[in-house]
Amino acid sequence: GENVGLHLPTLSVQEGDNSIINCAYSNSASDYFIWYKQESGKGPQFIIDIRSNMDKRQGQRVTVLLNKTVKHLSLQIAATQPGDSAVHFCAESQASGTYKYIFGTGTRLKVLA
Amino acid sequence: SQTIHQWPATLVQPVGSPLSLECTVEGTSNPNLYWYRQAAGRGLQLLFYSIGIDQISSEVPQNLSASRPQDRQFILSSKKLLLSDSGFYLCAWTKIQGGAEAFFGQGTRLTVV
């Protein structure tokens, strides 16, 4: 069945270093992908998204890369800050109008001072 | 601007008691609405979604039900709670047309005792 998974459950990064969080998806029909971050006890917050017609998209300090050949998604965070500490989720969906998302289990990013 | 309200923030209920969680969206019309559940340390599981008033789709068989009596109101209910219903419940919305980012509420922590 469809599933979205993450390679690493926990990632510890020194403050100021770059972070890379990876995600694998299994549904070749998925054409829209999002990265969210979730702080403890709060709802997920949007980080960045990408459509399947793109390989790379950049935001402020973040870059998402999409490799459709191997069905792999990654989130790169430049100059990681303490405020980046959170669980980061990837999600996949098909733009059928309902925008149903399937979320991975998440990677906890810990920023070390 | 659009906002999403979800309440209550926390809830402790005895087994067998009823449940009603409410979610409302402001600043948009005809949103897609979603209910997700998140178990501790796990990803988000889609429970219900709705593309319009009284149009509810259930994703997983369970002890819960959802209703959408108004365009921007989404309610999650149960007649008799089970211990397994404990979790973090999140309401979300997306635009019908254009854009696919899901906006989340702050969540309800439900503990069934």
Side-chain angles (χ1 to χ4, degrees):
Chain A
E2 303 170 358
N3 67 83
V4 178
L6 297 175
H7 298 306
L8 299 173
T10 303
L11 177 66
S12 296
V13 177
Q14 203 69 35
E15 181 179 355
D17 287 351
N18 297 334
S19 303
I20 299 177
I21 302 173
N22 296 304
C23 176
Y25 65 96
S26 60
N27 188 353
S28 299
S30 293
D31 54 14
Y32 181 72
F33 305 88
I34 304 182
W35 280 101
Y36 284 92
K37 62 180 286 189
Q38 184 180 23
E39 298 176 4
S40 181
K42 297 184 178 180
Q45 295 177 280
F46 173 86
I47 299 175
I48 193 168
D49 59 0
I50 189 168
R51 299 189 183 278
S52 58
N53 61 353
M54 301 172 68
D55 298 323
K56 178 180 179 180
R57 189 164 188 226
Q58 289 183 296
Q60 187 176 12
R61 285 200 306 115
V62 295
T63 300
V64 55
L65 299 177
L66 176 62
N67 186 330
K68 295 181 286 295
T69 301
V70 296
K71 295 196 282 290
H72 184 267
L73 195 68
S74 69
L75 176 69
Q76 300 178 357
I77 304 174
T80 311
Q81 301 172 358
D84 295 323
S85 293
V87 176
H88 290 71
F89 296 94
C90 65
E92 62 174 313
S93 73
Q94 297 176 49
S96 63
T98 60
Y99 296 113
K100 292 167 55 178
Y101 302 97
I102 298 174
F103 287 83
T105 55
T107 292
R108 182 173 301 280
L109 177 62
K110 292 184 177 180
V111 182
L112 307 174
Chain B
S1 62
Q2 302 92 356
T3 56
I4 179 169
H5 302 281
Q6 186 181 340
W7 68 92
T10 59
L11 190 60
V12 180
Q13 291 284 98
V15 169
S17 64
L19 172 74
S20 181
L21 302 181
E22 189 162 344
C23 172
T24 59
V25 180
E26 296 178 357
T28 188
S29 59
N30 298 320
N32 292 317
L33 295 172
Y34 306 82
W35 277 112
Y36 285 89
R37 176 168 59 201
Q38 185 177 33
R42 305 292 296 276
L44 279 68
Q45 178 188 34
L46 179 61
L47 302 176
F48 300 94
Y49 70 94
S50 171
I51 62 172
I53 295 174
D54 294 330
Q55 300 180 65
I56 311 294
S57 296
S58 175
E59 287 295 293
V60 293
Q62 59 203 305
N63 185 42
L64 302 168
S65 61
S67 61
R68 185 171 177 175
Q70 300 180 43
D71 180 48
R72 290 170 289 176
Q73 183 185 30
F74 205 24
I75 299 171
L76 184 69
S77 304
S78 174
K79 293 181 178 179
K80 291 185 178 181
L81 283 169
L82 306 172
L83 287 174
S84 58
D85 292 323
S86 295
F88 192 53
Y89 289 84
L90 288 156
C91 180
W93 74 273
T94 63
K95 297 177 182 178
I96 287 288
Q97 295 287 345
E101 175 187 349
F103 300 89
F104 286 85
Q106 288 303 295
T108 296
R109 173 74 59 192
L110 172 65
T111 304
V112 182
V113 296

